[in-house]
Amino acid sequence: MNRKLKQMLVVAALGASLLAGQAQAQAPVGQGPGYHDPRSPIKPLQEREGIVSWQLLSSVTTKAEKNKLIPEFPKPLQALNNQTVKIQGFMLPLEPGDKQRHFLLSSVPTSCSFCVPAGPEGLVEVKTRNPVKYTLEPVVVEGRMAVLNADPYGMFYRVTDAQATE
């Protein structure tokens, strides 16, 4: 994906995060895994044994430093770095076509094809070995997790060498 597209996604994610924060009174602005619209025909994700929870991923905090937000990961999140993990989520394609090798996983389904449904704590960038068929249903991927301290595109998490497991 080119740099410009990634920058646009990050800006959209931060904007969506602010909107989600306003929609969810219990979560501070920019915190949490995203807002699942109760009108959505797609059911919210259920936590499952052996799959990294979005609650854990969204436990990251940030601090403002100059012109950017720096993530501060609690120890349980730091422990996931360079580990093989399983993550479930909703696909946000980054390339055209029904088979995806590079996409974002979101904690909540998207309700607008031009909007990112969560902030960086509610998204995981995924790069797979083999293409994964796009679906509106949740997918589970397994791969090597990277916890990103200073990603130039503002991502907090990346899973590489991934494959769909279900």
Side-chain angles (χ1 to χ4, degrees), residues 41-43 45 89-91 105 109 133-140:
I42 302 169
K43 294 180 184 175
L45 294 173
F90 299 95
M91 291 178 77
L105 270 188
K133 184 167 176 49
Y134 175 73
T135 177
L136 294 173
E137 297 300 316
V139 297
V140 176

Side-chain angles (χ1 to χ4, degrees), residues 33-96:
Y35 177 71
H36 187 98
D37 190 330
R39 298 169 296 180
S40 174
I42 302 169
K43 294 180 184 175
L45 294 173
Q46 300 298 311
E47 289 203 20
R48 296 171 45 193
E49 184 79 28
I51 295 179
V52 176
S53 77
W54 287 100
Q55 184 175 0
L56 174 61
L57 294 174
S58 66
S59 68
V60 62
T61 57
T62 56
K63 66 177 178 180
E65 209 173 86
K66 295 186 181 178
N67 293 337
K68 59 184 173 178
L69 292 175
I70 307 297
E72 294 183 328
F73 300 101
K75 288 191 186 301
L77 277 174
Q78 292 173 18
L80 294 177
N81 194 43
N82 291 319
Q83 300 298 312
T84 298
V85 300
K86 286 184 179 181
I87 298 182
Q88 69 174 335
F90 299 95
M91 291 178 77
L92 291 123
L94 295 175
E95 301 168 338

